[in-house]
Structures are given as structure tokens and as C-alpha cells.
């Protein structure tokens, strides 16, 4: 019995030690500092695979059968064809989104070396030229990251930097490697081209800021003669030319059998987006996303040719934006002093997005969805900036917990919003589309404090005041289109259809959709039952059309 008791104590002690070690490892993992990463590293992390094909995949080869790739076991003779090489040369066009105009793409591929890719820009507008060189740098960085992630050799990975004559500036060690291959028969047998020229002509627009009227179309041809590959692009704006680079990148892949980059060497593509607003919204208040995570999202957007990053930066849960005029908002509202966005962070994200043809649209949701971060007014002699903060039962006073709704009769509330708008416009550059929020205003919250006979007029007055403050913040000129979220109040005769667009988030069959269309409003469609991407990752609301 004594021995059994001693054994139990020993096992119990070992269990405690194991629990402690697991907790320690978890703690260290979650306490690692958030560090920024370059676009090449981000791309490598997104598309990382082992450099050498292992396991069963390396024993399969693929053949195009009836426009589909079929797998065959290792007993087949001849050179192995990887799945990606098969899919790029078999079946329908592998471009996303599918081109809207003429599209003809050959099935023959050319092998090339990244350092042989050269870039030439013709445009009358220096800002457009500079931004296109940035876009080309991103193009090469992402291809280089694919090579690095797959363990390609130094020659294929091309550690050079891009210069404005289209050549590569190499380090001494890299130059030696390149020189050995350049003049040898090995290069001729390994690569199909000695020069890969990308020639871009931007014919019209001098703009580097996206607008609702921007022409994002492009025409692109790819041709292969002798040992030269030439890509010609004609576009009317930087954004059209950037989409052409994205399409070209979709014609390129890494062959994991030959360990080399390949490109489809014959193509004719005419393309223009069907919609001038192709957006994705990210909520960084309910759940904080690091700058690196946001950049990963932007990379994915650029490869799908999405052009508007709607940044829902604040909500009732947290206020991570650090304002230079009102730092108290983040001091009181951020989850922690690490889960914040500084002006430098926003400026970095905006530039990162612009190089990828994406406009950043920030949103400070108001008047509802504004609780934590707004509760410091009385301590600074500014009065109650927000009402019903964390009030219970929450279902009486807000659409979801925690509650909070800005005070429509405190002028300091509007002054703070004006300064926030000024800061955001300064960081993002000119915007012809701005989002004011306006979502899920709860009239019962305001009814506790005010005695208006029709509480809807308070919402109307608030939105008009916010619009006026935005106009002041934008140097006296309102953006051409200002968006609000749909709600039971957007049909109230208050907002002008010529100035306001409505972002519809409710169910696709809700009556408000048809009412807003009939009223002549421009709509941004983001129905919860079709376009929300968070469903399936937990549901705090189990019933109703908005449940997941």
C-alpha cells in the first residue's frame, strides 16, 4: 500500500510538471512580439510548401484527359508532370476573375529565370510611373518568395533588386553565380528564354488614387519568338496596368519536378471589371488583427483583383486607433497597449495597399457601436460622449453587447469625430467614398435621456451633423459618395440618394433591399446570408436570419 501511494504521488507530480511545461510553451508562443514582415516574406508564408515534393505526391504524374487532369501512378514511363503544371496547361482558362472580354491563352509553356525579367513603362505621368515600378517590385518579390518557399536554388530565386532600366542590381556573390550560368550551354538547355520583357503603356489617367470613375480595364498580349518572351500591356490607368500584372502572375507557376518557373507563352486578354466597387471588410475591433495579418489580407485581395479594403477599425468592443488629437480613445478603449494602430501603421498599410491597386476605406462606426473608448468625457470636462455604455440587459439598448451609443446632443462628440475624420483622410489620401457607419441605432437607449416625439429625428440629425463634420475635415468638400449601413432607419426620408450610398448587410430577402433600390439609392451588397465569411467560427446568436 505504501508503495502504491508513493507511485501515485510520483505520477501526480509528473502530471503537474507536464501541465506546467505545456502552459509555459503556450505562454511563450502567445507572448512573442508582433513584428512586421516584408511583402516577400508575407507571400512566402501564405504560399509556403516544402521545397522537395515528398510522400505520395512525388510518385504521381498527371495527364490532361477530356480537359481535366487525371493522376497516374509511378509505373508510367517518361518525365513526371506535376499537378500544377497539368492544370495550367489543361482545360479552361486559369485566370481569376475570369476576363470579361476576349481571352485566348495557349497551352505551351516557357521556362525562364527571374533575373531575366525586365520592365519598361511608358506614361506621361511621373507619379503613375513611380507607382508602377513599386508594383513591379512587388511582382518580382512575390515570385521570388514562391521560389524561396519551395527551396529553389540561388540562381532561380534571384536575390537581385529591380532598377529603373529594367535590369537587376546584383551582389558580388550573386553576380558570380549568374555569370557562370549566363555564358554556358547549361542555361540554354535549362531555360527557354534569355529575355522576358514586360512593357506597359498607360495611355490616359494621371491618378494614383482610385475613384468610382477609374477605368480599370487593360489589354494584354504575350508572345514568344526565338529566345525572347514579350508581354505588352495597354491600360488607361495605373489600376488597369496593375490588374494586368496580376493576370500575368496568374500565368506563371513553379514546376516542382523541374524546379523552375514556367509561364504560358501565348495569350491575348481584354478585361475590364464588371463592378467598380469590389470590396472586402475586415473588423479589427471585435478581434484585433496585427499589421502583418492585415497585409496578408491585402495580398489575397490583390490576387483576386479586389479594389476596396473597408477597414471597420472601431466598434463597441474596442477602439484600437491611436488618435493624435484624442489619445484617450485608445487608452480607454484598446484591448491592450499592444493591440493598437498608430498613424505610422495606417500609413504603412495604405501604401502597401496602393501598390497593389487597393483603396483603404476607414470606418469609425457611429453613432451606435461606440462604447468602450468613449467613456472618458466627464473626467476631461467634455460631458457624456456616449450613452448606455455596457448597460444591461443589453438586448434592450443595443444590437449586440457591449452597448454604447454616441450622445447626439453633445457638441464635443461631433468635434472628436471631425478630428478623427481629418486624421484618417490625411493618412489615406483623397477619398471619393467614405463610410460613416450609422448601423443599428437603438432608439430605446436615447429615449432614456431625451424627450423627442419622434426619436428617428435624432438619428437623422446625427447623420447630417456627421456628414457636415466630414465635409469640414475634407477641406470643405464632401466626398462624392458617403456610405452608411442599412438599418430600420435608412428608409426614413432624411438622407439624400445623391450623396449617400447604403451598404446592405441584412438578409438577401429582407424587404429593405427592394425599398432602397426603389428609392434610388446606390447599394453596396454584403448580405449576411451570402457574403459574411465569419460564419462557422462560433455563434453567440443561435436563431434568426443573422445567426451563423
Amino acid at each position: 500500500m505504501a508503495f502504491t501511494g508513493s507511485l501515485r504521488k510520483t505520477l501526480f507530480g509528473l502530471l503537474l510538471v507536464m501541465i506546467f511545461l505545456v502552459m509555459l510553451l503556450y505562454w511563450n508562443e502567445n507572448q512573442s512580439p508582433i513584428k512586421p514582415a516584408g511583402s516577400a516574406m508575407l507571400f512566402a508564408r501564405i504560399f509556403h510548401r516544402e521545397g522537395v515534393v515528398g510522400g505520395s505526391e512525388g510518385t504521381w504524374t498527371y495527364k490532361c484527359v477530356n480537359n481535366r487532369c487525371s493522376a497516374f501512378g509511378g509505373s508510367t514511363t517518361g518525365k513526371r508532370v506535376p499537378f500544377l503544371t497539368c492544370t495550367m496547361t489543361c482545360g479552361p482558362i486559369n485566370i481569376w476573375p475570369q476576363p470579361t472580354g476576349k481571352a485566348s491563352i495557349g497551352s505551351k509553356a516557357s521556362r525562364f529565370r527571374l533575373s531575366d525579367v525586365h520592365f519598361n513603362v511608358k506614361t506621361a505621368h511621373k507619379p503613375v510611373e513611380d507607382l508602377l515600378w513599386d508594383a513591379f517590385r512587388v511582382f518580382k518579390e512575390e515570385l521570388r518568395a514562391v521560389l524561396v518557399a519551395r527551396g529553389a536554388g540561388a540562381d532561380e530565386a534571384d536575390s537581385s533588386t529591380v532598377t529603373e532600366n529594367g535590369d537587376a542590381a546584383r551582389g558580388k556573390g550573386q553576380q558570380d553565380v549568374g555569370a557562370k550560368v549566363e555564358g554556358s550551354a547549361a542555361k540554354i538547355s535549362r531555360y527557354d528564354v534569355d529575355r522576358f520583357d514586360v512593357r506597359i503603356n498607360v495611355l490616359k489617367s494621371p491618378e494614383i488614387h482610385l475613384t468610382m470613375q477609374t477605368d480599370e480595364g487593360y489589354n494584354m498580349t504575350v508572345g514568344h519568338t526565338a529566345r525572347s518572351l514579350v508581354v505588352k500591356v495597354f491600360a488607361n490607368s495605373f489600376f488597369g496596368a496593375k490588374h494586368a500584372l496580376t493576370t500575368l502572375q496568374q500565368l506563371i507557376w513553379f514546376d516542382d519536378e523541374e524546379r523552375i518557373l514556367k509561364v504560358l507563352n501565348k495569350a491575348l486578354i481584354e478585361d475590364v471589371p464588371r463592378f467598380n466597387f469590389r470590396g472586402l471588410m475586415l473588423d479589427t475591433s471585435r478581434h484585433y488583427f496585427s499589421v502583418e495579418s492585415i497585409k496578408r489580407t491585402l495580398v489575397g485581395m490583390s490576387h483576386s483583383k479586389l479594389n476596396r479594403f473597408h477597414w471597420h477599425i472601431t466598434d463597441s468592443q474596442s477602439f484600437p486607433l491611436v488618435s493624435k488629437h484624442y489619445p484617450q480613445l485608445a487608452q480607454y478603449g484598446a484591448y491592450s497597449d499592444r493591440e493598437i494602430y498608430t498613424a505610422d501603421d495606417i500609413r504603412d498599410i495604405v501604401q502597401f495597399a496602393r501598390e497593389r491597386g487597393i483603396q483603404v476605406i476607414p470606418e469609425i462606426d457611429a453613432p451606435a457601436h461606440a462604447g468602450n473608448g468613449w467613456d472618458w468625457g466627464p473626467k476631461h470636462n467634455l460631458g457624456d460622449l456616449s450613452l448606455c455604455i455596457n448597460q444591461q440587459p443589453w438586448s434592450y439598448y443595443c444590437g449586440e453587447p457591449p452597448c454604447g451609443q454616441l450622445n447626439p446632443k453633445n457638441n464635443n462628440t461631433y468635434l472628436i469625430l471631425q478630428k478623427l475624420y481629418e486624421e484618417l483622410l490625411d493618412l489615406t489620401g483623397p477619398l471619393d467614398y467614405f463610410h460613416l457607419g450609422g448601423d443599428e441605432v437603438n432608439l430605446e437607449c436615447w429615449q432614456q435621456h431625451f424627450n423627442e416625439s419622434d426619436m428617428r429625428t435624432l438619428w437623422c440629425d446625427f447623420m447630417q451633423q456627421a456628414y457636415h463634420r466630414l465635409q469640414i475635415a475634407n477641406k470643405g468638400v464632401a466626398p462624392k459618395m458617403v456610405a452608411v449601413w442599412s438599418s430600420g432607419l435608412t428608409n426614413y426620408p432624411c438622407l439624400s440618394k445623391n450623396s449617400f450610398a447604403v451598404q446592405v448587410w441584412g438578409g438577401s430577402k429582407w424587404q429593405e433591399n427592394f425599398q432602397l433600390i426603389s428609392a434610388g439609392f446606390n447599394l453596396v451588397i454584403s448580405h449576411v446570408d451570402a457574403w459574411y465569411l465569419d460564419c462557422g467560427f462560433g455563434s453567440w446568436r443561435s436563431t434568426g436570419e443573422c445567426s451563423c
Side-chain angles (χ1 to χ4, degrees), residues 168-208:
R170 298 170 179 270
K172 186 176 185 301
Q174 181 67 22
Q175 189 175 22
D176 292 339
V177 174
K180 291 175 185 177
V181 179
E182 187 80 30
S184 66
K187 181 186 176 184
I188 296 175
S189 63
R190 181 165 174 75
Y191 305 103
D192 299 311
V193 297
D194 298 320
R195 188 173 182 91
F196 186 155
D197 284 322
V198 181
R199 303 170 185 172
I200 292 186
N201 287 267
V202 176
L203 304 173
K204 291 183 180 180
S205 175
E207 295 298 326
I208 59 172

Side-chain angles (χ1 to χ4, degrees), residues 11-23:
L11 291 174
F12 183 70
L14 288 173
L15 179 62
L16 289 177
V17 171
M18 289 176 65
I19 291 172
F20 173 77
L21 290 174
V22 169
M23 292 179 65

